[in-house]
Amino acid sequence: TLDTGINTSAGAGDANKLISTNSSGKVDTTLLPAGIGVSTVTATASEAISAGDFVNLYSVTGTLTVRKADNSNGRDAKGFVLAAISNAATGTIYLSGQNTSVTALTPGTVYFLGVSGGVTTTAPTTSGTTIQLLGYTLSATNLMFEFDEPTAIL
């Protein structure tokens, strides 16, 4: 008898079942142990956020909240979003990895935090701004992000 494997898991009810790759030929993250795979958090948006924006996480009366990162006002990028989040809605924030919701980037280029959730290839030099290296591009629509502590320009 040939058993068909599962390609996603709902948890303990799927114990001891065979697994298979999904339609993309990859193992779904629901099949991986906790702590392995994409690092994400959910947070409530304090403004409308577009897919691909780099975002800043902060606390509002103990609730994790997300807003656009911006080098002009000290809001360093803690992650990014792959899907838009409406103001006051909850969304998924990716803390590292490939931001595939960006566009018009130059492959192989290093990018810094820009304004209003955006990116720039030029590190800021204006007093009062923040320099934060975001990562490098793998393609015109894929920026590999890893958090880097920002530096303030005094």
Side-chain angles (χ1 to χ4, degrees):
T1 305
L2 182 61
D3 288 330
T4 304
I6 59 171
N7 58 22
T8 61
S9 174
D14 290 324
N16 300 316
K17 293 182 180 177
L18 295 173
I19 63 170
S20 66
T21 57
N22 60 24
S23 60
S24 301
K26 297 180 180 180
V27 174
D28 190 86
T29 57
T30 61
L31 295 164
L32 301 175
I36 303 294
V38 180
S39 295
T40 63
V41 294
T42 56
T44 303
S46 62
E47 63 182 323
I49 299 172
S50 301
D53 280 353
F54 285 88
V55 295
N56 174 263
L57 295 167
Y58 66 107
S59 177
V60 174
T61 60
T63 300
L64 188 62
T65 307
V66 62
R67 60 189 171 194
K68 292 181 180 193
D70 194 312
N71 71 16
S72 68
N73 59 18
R75 296 178 180 175
D76 59 320
K78 301 291 190 193
F80 59 90
V81 297
L82 293 176
I85 308 172
S86 300
N87 185 31
T90 300
T92 301
I93 291 75
Y94 293 80
L95 303 176
S96 64
Q98 297 179 39
N99 184 343
T100 56
S101 291
V102 290
T103 59
L105 303 180
T106 303
T109 303
V110 171
Y111 280 83
F112 298 90
L113 177 62
V115 296
S116 196
V119 300
T120 179
T121 57
T122 307
T125 57
T126 307
S127 177
T129 59
T130 300
I131 299 173
Q132 184 181 12
L133 176 64
L134 296 178
Y136 60 93
T137 51
L138 302 173
S139 73
T141 58
N142 188 338
L143 194 151
M144 182 60 132
F145 171 76
E146 186 171 330
F147 177 75
D148 187 43
E149 207 57 55
T151 301
I153 300 174
L154 304 176

